[in-house]
Amino acid sequence: MSEREQVPMDVVFVGAGPANLAAALHLKKQAAEHDVMVDKGLKFGKKVGELEIAIVEKGSFVGAHILSGAVMDPKAIRELMPDFIAEGCPVDTVVTEDAFWYLTEKGGINAPLIPPPLKNKGKYIVSLSKVCEWLGEKCEEAGINIFPEFPAAELIYDENDAVIGVRTGDKGIDKEGHKKPNYEPGVDLLAKVTILGEGSRGSLTKQLMARLGLMEGKESQVFSLGVKELWEVPAGQFPEGKVVHTLGFPSDTRTYGGGWIYGMKNNVVSIGYVTGLDYEDPMIDPHAEFQKFKTNPKVAAVLEGGKMIKYGAKTINAGGWNTMPRLYADGVLLVGDTASFLNGQRIKGIHTAMKSGMLAAETIISAFEHEDFSSNSLKHFEERVNMSWIYDELHPVRNFHGAFQKGRWSALINTGLQFMTKGLAWGFMPKEHHVAGHERMKKLSEPGAIATGSRYDNVPFDKELTFDKVTNVFYGAVAHDEDQPSHLHVLDTEICATRCAEEYDNPCQRFCPAAVYEMEERDGRKELKVNFSNCVHCKTCDIADPYQIINWVTPEGGGGPNYKGM
Ligand code: SF4
């Protein structure tokens, strides 16, 4: 007999990010409103009653694992809560000034015109971690159950492959897999509808997409890695409310990349660099790219005399509309970044994530009304998305990221054409629009594999302006109990020691922004060492490994970074 407790719920959300928090809150409010309308005879249909809603979150609190730039378009939060500012939404600063810099190694120019998608005046610079923490409080006030430190380890299916809930991870297992005195088995949370809002490269989403073929007929999801620091800089050095986006140095022209600098309150600056994880050069190190970015004189001047106070790294699901999986199956919906809702051209996904969650909530109310939680009922989520402003925003830019797979210049021309023709310009598009990043990485033996000179060991880490990964991880406040099984499953370490060493010089050592992977020499042969306790849960390794033999699974609840205020 199973020792696991079974907890029946109506709706279970996996992940306490902006999509799911908005979804849960909207669901609670709209379900109550629906019932009042039915009671008053203002709406036909059945009442849905009081729904039991749970949100499970692997971090130690809501917001612990949330990382973004971030400039928030308030379009969705205003729909969710028209008086969100009066309700206490912790926006940091209103954007007052936009700039776009094209950088070279030794300098750069201010673009005279800001590309329209990057105009942000009037929008809000936020700590997304803080916004999510606040949304979590609003959810709890509304009677929604939030379970932090409860990672969803697997989906539960019935005999017909319908999703009927999630199993949370066991606690108290030692590194050999034995039960410790504090052992607690995970719980089965059973639900009529499960919503996956796990963020970029969700581990359950990945399993579900493979099991049910949700990517059939779609282009491959493509990802980027954002590496970010918060700095305190001398007063007056960088204006609060100023937003800078950059192109150029240090990325080479065939690698997708760009930087940001946002001026926040109290002389805090959010600075980061995004590298497309569909790069060809196996020697690229996205963390090193970010460190090099800071050495550009225009960028370094922003940080001069300041100090770094926080660090984090997270992947971004960058492909957009053409790379969206099927968003529904029996008993399950996919929302937010896990389902490619980000607008890569605007570098914005908070508003689209929240809106996708709200549309999922409306679909769920209808499903409860008709007591039908099958695909047949939940497919209306896609129709709602197609009828919403998400379609109007994402469809015209559906080729934006794919065009960069042909290099920066053709992509910029294409972006301009796309902008003018609302996405109809195809002239410069590669035949297959989005190719999975791990398929694009070149073997060292291939002509032109190394193009950038972005070797990790070429970057001087002076610990004032530039930092090595181990120092940075300290500022990510990362913690995992070391006496637990590694959550990074490398399925065949023999490949690491042989083929991967020879063909790619083990790129995991470079693409991981937290120094988790090291190749050690032992008895004349290479061996992989996995420092899993450094992991910041960015998911890069699961995405970028050229052999796809790294499987990221949830560690014990509460482990990972602490991005409070990031
Ligand atoms: Fe990211 Fe993987 Fe490194 Fe963890 S181990 S920080 S998920 S690349």
Side-chain angles (χ1 to χ4, degrees):
M1 204 174 121
S2 169
E3 54 182 328
R4 290 177 196 282
E5 193 186 346
Q6 292 198 329
V7 181
M9 305 295 299
D10 290 308
V11 184
V12 170
F13 291 90
V14 177
N20 269 353
L21 291 165
L25 198 53
H26 195 59
L27 176 58
K28 198 74 184 171
K29 286 181 181 174
Q30 293 294 311
E33 240 170 67
H34 168 87
D35 283 4
V36 170
M37 302 273 277
V38 173
D39 265 344
K40 289 183 175 169
L42 297 171
K43 195 172 181 184
F44 291 116
K46 280 170 61 181
K47 285 166 63 172
V48 299
E50 190 70 27
L51 299 179
E52 274 300 326
I53 303 171
I55 303 176
V56 290
E57 163 56 41
K58 66 184 166 63
S60 55
F61 60 92
V62 173
H65 291 179
I66 300 293
L67 187 75
S68 181
V71 175
M72 179 173 76
D73 182 334
K75 195 170 183 177
I77 199 167
R78 205 168 264 147
E79 287 180 18
L80 177 70
M81 209 185 291
D83 49 355
F84 67 101
I85 297 285
E87 289 263 4
C89 180
V91 298
D92 187 279
T93 310
V94 177
V95 179
T96 51
E97 186 184 348
D98 284 305
F100 185 68
W101 296 352
Y102 188 85
L103 301 180
T104 58
E105 187 172 359
K106 301 281 180 222
I109 51 163
N110 288 7
L113 293 173
I114 309 294
L118 296 181
K119 286 186 178 166
N120 289 295
K121 239 185 207 177
K123 300 192 172 55
Y124 296 98
I125 300 174
V126 299
S127 151
L128 189 58
S129 167
K130 276 190 195 167
V131 170
C132 285
E133 205 174 351
W134 168 79
L135 273 173
E137 288 163 14
K138 291 286 172 198
C139 285
E140 285 186 319
E141 282 168 19
I144 294 159
N145 307 286
I146 302 192
F147 300 109
E149 299 199 0
F150 272 78
E154 51 187 298
L155 287 165
I156 308 171
Y157 298 88
D158 72 5
E159 62 285 0
N160 298 317
D161 261 355
V163 175
I164 54 167
V166 293
R167 174 165 293 172
T168 64
D170 297 343
K171 288 187 178 164
I173 305 275
D174 74 14
K175 57 183 171 205
E176 310 297 341
H178 304 125
K179 293 175 184 169
K180 296 194 279 192
N182 64 343
Y183 172 72
E184 274 179 46
V187 177
D188 285 351
L189 287 165
L190 304 178
K192 310 250 179 22
V193 189
T194 301
I195 296 90
L196 300 182
E198 302 176 282
S200 177
R201 192 65 155 204
S203 48
L204 297 191
T205 305
K206 179 181 156 186
Q207 290 170 24
L208 182 81
M209 290 195 307
R211 181 170 173 143
L212 302 184
L214 301 186
M215 290 302 290
E216 274 169 25
K218 313 283 182 168
E219 293 175 20
S220 296
Q221 289 193 316
V222 290
F223 300 85
S224 299
L225 174 61
V227 184
K228 170 179 174 179
E229 291 171 351
L230 284 184
W231 280 65
E232 264 172 22
V233 300
Q237 188 153 297
F238 190 79
E240 181 182 321
K242 180 167 181 174
V243 161
V244 177
H245 288 106
T246 78
L247 194 65
F249 179 80
S251 292
D252 65 274
T253 56
R254 62 185 207 193
T255 302
Y256 179 82
W260 79 82
I261 309 171
Y262 302 156
M264 302 177 76
K265 271 198 185 93
N266 303 322
N267 305 307
V268 171
V269 167
S270 161
I271 181 165
Y273 199 82
V274 170
T275 299
L277 290 176
D278 45 5
Y279 56 79
E280 294 178 346
D281 176 353
M283 301 311 286
I284 282 181
D285 178 328
H287 169 271
E289 295 287 279
F290 171 50
Q291 300 304 322
K292 286 171 83 171
F293 166 65
K294 290 186 292 174
T295 64
N296 169 278
K298 268 173 94 65
V299 180
V302 172
L303 304 176
E304 197 176 351
K307 64 171 183 190
M308 188 262 289
I309 52 175
K310 288 283 252 177
Y311 170 77
K314 199 161 189 352
T315 50
I316 298 159
N317 198 344
W321 190 262
N322 281 354
T323 68
M324 265 185 200
R326 170 149 65 87
L327 300 172
Y328 62 90
D330 292 329
V332 67
L333 293 173
L334 307 181
V335 298
D337 214 11
T338 211
S340 302
F341 273 97
L342 182 126
N343 181 340
Q345 185 166 288
R346 292 183 67 203
I347 332 173
K348 280 192 182 41
I350 302 169
H351 65 305
T352 40
M354 291 177 89
K355 180 68 178 177
S356 71
M358 291 160 70
L359 296 171
E362 290 162 22
T363 310
I364 292 167
I365 292 173
S366 173
F368 272 93
E369 207 186 341
H370 298 98
E371 290 182 52
D372 181 356
F373 310 102
S374 67
S375 291
N376 207 30
S377 161
L378 298 182
K379 71 180 180 194
H380 297 302
F381 175 43
E382 279 198 352
E383 291 164 16
R384 283 185 160 87
V385 170
N386 290 340
M387 300 281 288
S388 74
W389 54 254
I390 291 182
Y391 176 89
D392 298 340
E393 179 171 333
L394 296 190
H395 190 259
V397 297
R398 61 196 178 281
N399 297 316
F400 173 76
H401 191 94
F404 274 88
Q405 293 192 335
K406 281 285 186 198
R408 184 186 299 159
W409 303 123
S410 65
L412 289 179
I413 294 167
N414 196 69
T415 301
L417 289 173
Q418 279 187 132
F419 187 74
M420 289 186 287
T421 63
K422 291 210 175 290
L424 292 176
W426 288 80
F428 294 86
M429 296 304 297
K431 201 161 173 226
E432 211 178 33
H433 306 298
H434 292 87
V435 178
H438 69 273
E439 290 174 12
R440 285 173 45 86
M441 191 184 286
K442 286 185 189 256
K443 294 186 176 124
L444 288 166
S445 58
E446 288 182 62
I450 299 176
T452 65
S454 282
R455 296 188 63 119
Y456 184 71
D457 50 12
N458 283 349
V459 183
F461 300 119
D462 62 11
K463 299 209 178 186
E464 285 187 7
L465 177 65
T466 53
F467 303 91
D468 58 81
K469 291 180 183 177
V470 174
T471 306
N472 266 146
V473 166
F474 176 79
Y475 285 88
V478 185
H480 291 92
D481 182 349
E482 302 220 1
D483 190 14
Q484 65 172 302
S486 170
H487 63 284
L488 300 157
H489 295 179
V490 183
L491 306 178
D492 185 350
T493 50
E494 190 55 26
I495 289 183
C496 310
T498 54
R499 282 179 61 197
C500 189
E502 194 179 306
E503 292 178 340
Y504 298 99
D505 188 28
N506 301 108
C508 58
Q509 302 175 100
R510 293 175 292 279
F511 59 56
C512 170
V516 168
Y517 298 100
E518 284 178 74
M519 294 306 290
E520 294 186 327
E521 285 285 328
R522 235 179 248 170
D523 301 328
R525 105 188 270 284
K526 285 191 163 185
E527 204 168 278
L528 179 70
K529 185 177 170 206
V530 180
N531 307 305
F532 76 86
S533 56
N534 279 3
C535 177
V536 295
H537 297 200
C538 71
K539 315 286 182 70
T540 301
C541 51
D542 194 294
I543 295 161
D545 165 41
Y547 303 95
Q548 292 291 285
I549 54 170
I550 301 178
N551 201 21
W552 191 101
V553 301
T554 46
E556 194 170 294
N562 180 341
Y563 290 146
K564 194 174 182 70
M566 277 287 269

